[in-house]
Amino acid sequence: MEKKLVYFLCTGNSCRSQIADGFLRELGSENYEVKSAGLEAHGLNPRAVQVMREAGVDISEHTSDVIDPEILMKADYIVTLCGHANDHCPVVRNDNAQRWHWGFEDPAKATGTEEEIMAKFREVRESIKNRIEKFVKEGE
């Protein structure tokens, strides 16, 4: 069976899309090829790496990338994870791709103590994990 290509898109490809990428690679790599990118490349957020490590998923070698039009054209699923990417994503001329928007809060914008910020990262991580588990189970 040929793997379906899932392309996760976010504003900076530093947190939410990286977390989704990591979880889908971990939970669905037998069925899906996974890529992620952003409208810009903000670099991999160290807190995202940390909370994923806590969940047993290593994303430390991931890179923060800008949307690649060729991958966009080949994708079977295009999933935006933030409103900005959903509103500003290039027009998709790929009739075969299913396009979804799974909106999650940006943990990088959390304020407060380090403990409060990390709590927000963990909350968003768990929300994304739950959505990825549903996707793997139901195929949507």
Side-chain angles (χ1 to χ4, degrees), residues 5 7 13 16 21 50 53 70 84 89 117 130 133:
L5 174 58
Y7 205 18
N13 193 219
R16 293 165 287 183
D21 183 319
Q50 182 180 338
R53 187 175 293 124
E70 287 185 31
H84 187 256
C89 184
I117 293 169
N130 290 338
E133 287 173 341

Side-chain angles (χ1 to χ4, degrees), residues 9-12 37-39 67 79-90 99 101:
L9 305 178
C10 212
T11 301
L39 298 171
I67 296 170
V79 182
T80 53
L81 298 162
C82 65
H84 187 256
N86 188 48
D87 295 342
H88 296 92
C89 184
R99 186 169 172 175
H101 175 64

Side-chain angles (χ1 to χ4, degrees), residues 25-131:
R25 286 175 193 251
E26 185 73 16
L27 301 170
S29 62
E30 65 280 350
N31 295 319
Y32 300 102
E33 178 183 357
V34 186
K35 303 275 186 196
S36 66
L39 298 171
E40 303 165 352
H42 292 172
L44 188 57
N45 187 298
R47 289 180 177 122
V49 174
Q50 182 180 338
V51 298
M52 289 301 284
R53 187 175 293 124
E54 292 171 6
V57 180
D58 183 7
I59 63 169
S60 63
E61 298 299 317
H62 286 203
T63 58
S64 180
D65 302 309
V66 174
I67 296 170
D68 180 329
E70 287 185 31
I71 296 173
L72 199 63
M73 292 301 293
K74 292 191 292 187
D76 296 291
Y77 302 97
I78 298 165
V79 182
T80 53
L81 298 162
C82 65
H84 187 256
N86 188 48
D87 295 342
H88 296 92
C89 184
V91 174
V92 178
R93 305 228 164 147
N94 178 345
D95 293 336
N96 297 321
Q98 293 186 47
R99 186 169 172 175
W100 295 318
H101 175 64
W102 301 346
F104 296 100
E105 285 184 72
D106 186 354
K109 292 185 176 173
T111 58
T113 66
E114 184 62 20
E115 190 175 299
E116 292 167 333
I117 293 169
M118 289 304 292
K120 179 53 73 176
F121 269 84
R122 291 180 185 107
E123 176 187 319
V124 171
R125 175 197 67 199
E126 291 306 305
S127 295
I128 293 172
K129 180 182 181 188
N130 290 338
R131 189 62 188 89

